[in-house]
Amino acid sequence: MTMAFLPEPLLNDARYQCAVDLFNRQQWYAAHDAFEELWHDAQGSLRPLLQGIIQISVAEYHLECGNLRGSTLLMAEGLNHLDSADPDDVDFNINNLKNAVARRLSALQSGTSIDDQPLPCLR
């Protein structure tokens, strides 16, 4: 079933609420799957937003698995997608998410500890 999401329908979609919950509980791989399902149905400005969140989820999963290169690449791509997203499409502060991801990306790129950087969350 293909649906053209507008912000309100997305925010009221139980799949979205589940995906956000998985992301906020740092269940990165499951969050990736949940957001990907939404991404397949999305159109317009929601696509880059959801793609960015998917890439950040996978970046964090790679980080947990010790794949620093994969994490760095996907975190940068995810951040780029968030830059083109419409902040009105979500019920969280996208700038807070972008700042957290940018700080983590900077630590990865400089080879410094990422442990002191806050985890991304959708609140």
mmCIF file of all heavy atoms in Angstrom, residues 70-87:
data_model
loop_
_atom_site.group_PDB
_atom_site.id
_atom_site.type_symbol
_atom_site.label_atom_id
_atom_site.label_comp_id
_atom_site.label_asym_id
_atom_site.label_seq_id
_atom_site.Cartn_x
_atom_site.Cartn_y
_atom_site.Cartn_z
ATOM 1 N N GLY A 70 32.618 2.933 8.271
ATOM 2 C CA GLY A 70 31.230 2.878 7.834
ATOM 3 C C GLY A 70 30.360 3.847 8.611
ATOM 4 O O GLY A 70 29.490 4.513 8.054
ATOM 5 N N SER A 71 30.610 3.938 9.901
ATOM 6 C CA SER A 71 29.848 4.854 10.744
ATOM 7 C C SER A 71 30.088 6.294 10.321
ATOM 8 O O SER A 71 29.142 7.081 10.196
ATOM 9 C CB SER A 71 30.236 4.662 12.210
ATOM 10 O OG SER A 71 29.500 5.550 13.021
ATOM 11 N N THR A 72 31.332 6.645 10.097
ATOM 12 C CA THR A 72 31.683 8.011 9.705
ATOM 13 C C THR A 72 31.012 8.390 8.391
ATOM 14 O O THR A 72 30.426 9.476 8.268
ATOM 15 C CB THR A 72 33.214 8.163 9.598
ATOM 16 O OG1 THR A 72 33.808 7.813 10.851
ATOM 17 C CG2 THR A 72 33.614 9.578 9.231
ATOM 18 N N LEU A 73 31.095 7.510 7.408
ATOM 19 C CA LEU A 73 30.497 7.792 6.097
ATOM 20 C C LEU A 73 28.983 7.970 6.192
ATOM 21 O O LEU A 73 28.419 8.928 5.645
ATOM 22 C CB LEU A 73 30.839 6.682 5.104
ATOM 23 C CG LEU A 73 32.308 6.586 4.697
ATOM 24 C CD1 LEU A 73 32.553 5.329 3.868
ATOM 25 C CD2 LEU A 73 32.723 7.821 3.919
ATOM 26 N N LEU A 74 28.315 7.056 6.881
ATOM 27 C CA LEU A 74 26.859 7.131 6.973
ATOM 28 C C LEU A 74 26.395 8.295 7.839
ATOM 29 O O LEU A 74 25.354 8.905 7.565
ATOM 30 C CB LEU A 74 26.288 5.819 7.491
ATOM 31 C CG LEU A 74 26.212 4.727 6.427
ATOM 32 C CD1 LEU A 74 25.889 3.382 7.057
ATOM 33 C CD2 LEU A 74 25.176 5.080 5.375
ATOM 34 N N MET A 75 27.166 8.630 8.862
ATOM 35 C CA MET A 75 26.795 9.763 9.700
ATOM 36 C C MET A 75 26.856 11.053 8.876
ATOM 37 O O MET A 75 25.968 11.904 8.973
ATOM 38 C CB MET A 75 27.708 9.845 10.921
ATOM 39 C CG MET A 75 27.013 10.418 12.132
ATOM 40 S SD MET A 75 27.981 10.262 13.641
ATOM 41 C CE MET A 75 27.692 8.546 14.067
ATOM 42 N N ALA A 76 27.897 11.186 8.047
ATOM 43 C CA ALA A 76 28.020 12.372 7.198
ATOM 44 C C ALA A 76 26.880 12.438 6.181
ATOM 45 O O ALA A 76 26.289 13.498 5.966
ATOM 46 C CB ALA A 76 29.370 12.362 6.484
ATOM 47 N N GLU A 77 26.560 11.310 5.565
ATOM 48 C CA GLU A 77 25.463 11.279 4.596
ATOM 49 C C GLU A 77 24.125 11.590 5.277
ATOM 50 O O GLU A 77 23.302 12.325 4.730
ATOM 51 C CB GLU A 77 25.402 9.926 3.899
ATOM 52 C CG GLU A 77 26.532 9.700 2.921
ATOM 53 C CD GLU A 77 26.479 8.333 2.264
ATOM 54 O OE1 GLU A 77 25.409 7.699 2.257
ATOM 55 O OE2 GLU A 77 27.520 7.909 1.739
ATOM 56 N N GLY A 78 23.915 11.027 6.453
ATOM 57 C CA GLY A 78 22.690 11.293 7.185
ATOM 58 C C GLY A 78 22.543 12.760 7.536
ATOM 59 O O GLY A 78 21.465 13.344 7.403
ATOM 60 N N LEU A 79 23.629 13.364 7.965
ATOM 61 C CA LEU A 79 23.619 14.786 8.301
ATOM 62 C C LEU A 79 23.286 15.628 7.073
ATOM 63 O O LEU A 79 22.510 16.582 7.153
ATOM 64 C CB LEU A 79 24.965 15.183 8.901
ATOM 65 C CG LEU A 79 25.061 16.499 9.635
ATOM 66 C CD1 LEU A 79 24.021 16.616 10.735
ATOM 67 C CD2 LEU A 79 26.456 16.675 10.196
ATOM 68 N N ASN A 80 23.847 15.258 5.918
ATOM 69 C CA ASN A 80 23.542 15.979 4.678
ATOM 70 C C ASN A 80 22.059 15.894 4.331
ATOM 71 O O ASN A 80 21.460 16.874 3.892
ATOM 72 C CB ASN A 80 24.382 15.450 3.518
ATOM 73 C CG ASN A 80 25.811 15.929 3.585
ATOM 74 O OD1 ASN A 80 26.110 16.964 4.170
ATOM 75 N ND2 ASN A 80 26.718 15.173 2.995
ATOM 76 N N HIS A 81 21.466 14.724 4.531
ATOM 77 C CA HIS A 81 20.041 14.585 4.247
ATOM 78 C C HIS A 81 19.195 15.412 5.230
ATOM 79 O O HIS A 81 18.178 15.988 4.840
ATOM 80 C CB HIS A 81 19.618 13.115 4.284
ATOM 81 C CG HIS A 81 19.922 12.414 3.012
ATOM 82 N ND1 HIS A 81 21.039 11.641 2.859
ATOM 83 C CD2 HIS A 81 19.263 12.379 1.838
ATOM 84 C CE1 HIS A 81 21.055 11.161 1.632
ATOM 85 N NE2 HIS A 81 19.985 11.601 0.983
ATOM 86 N N LEU A 82 19.613 15.470 6.469
ATOM 87 C CA LEU A 82 18.866 16.274 7.444
ATOM 88 C C LEU A 82 18.913 17.758 7.090
ATOM 89 O O LEU A 82 17.961 18.491 7.361
ATOM 90 C CB LEU A 82 19.406 16.060 8.855
ATOM 91 C CG LEU A 82 19.165 14.700 9.487
ATOM 92 C CD1 LEU A 82 19.709 14.689 10.907
ATOM 93 C CD2 LEU A 82 17.704 14.314 9.474
ATOM 94 N N ASP A 83 20.017 18.192 6.481
ATOM 95 C CA ASP A 83 20.136 19.595 6.096
ATOM 96 C C ASP A 83 19.083 20.000 5.069
ATOM 97 O O ASP A 83 18.690 21.160 5.013
ATOM 98 C CB ASP A 83 21.535 19.904 5.555
ATOM 99 C CG ASP A 83 22.564 20.033 6.658
ATOM 100 O OD1 ASP A 83 22.170 20.315 7.812
ATOM 101 O OD2 ASP A 83 23.758 19.859 6.372
ATOM 102 N N SER A 84 18.631 19.050 4.261
ATOM 103 C CA SER A 84 17.635 19.376 3.238
ATOM 104 C C SER A 84 16.208 19.043 3.685
ATOM 105 O O SER A 84 15.269 19.189 2.908
ATOM 106 C CB SER A 84 17.967 18.657 1.931
ATOM 107 O OG SER A 84 17.888 17.259 2.105
ATOM 108 N N ALA A 85 16.061 18.605 4.920
ATOM 109 C CA ALA A 85 14.741 18.219 5.428
ATOM 110 C C ALA A 85 13.964 19.444 5.900
ATOM 111 O O ALA A 85 14.545 20.457 6.282
ATOM 112 C CB ALA A 85 14.898 17.238 6.582
ATOM 113 N N ASP A 86 12.657 19.316 5.885
ATOM 114 C CA ASP A 86 11.774 20.375 6.361
ATOM 115 C C ASP A 86 11.501 20.154 7.851
ATOM 116 O O ASP A 86 10.884 19.160 8.225
ATOM 117 C CB ASP A 86 10.461 20.344 5.572
ATOM 118 C CG ASP A 86 9.526 21.473 5.926
ATOM 119 O OD1 ASP A 86 9.739 22.146 6.970
ATOM 120 O OD2 ASP A 86 8.571 21.698 5.171
ATOM 121 N N PRO A 87 11.965 21.065 8.727
ATOM 122 C CA PRO A 87 11.771 20.875 10.169
ATOM 123 C C PRO A 87 10.306 20.826 10.594
ATOM 124 O O PRO A 87 9.991 20.317 11.657
ATOM 125 C CB PRO A 87 12.478 22.067 10.810
ATOM 126 C CG PRO A 87 12.962 22.925 9.719
ATOM 127 C CD PRO A 87 12.708 22.264 8.407
#
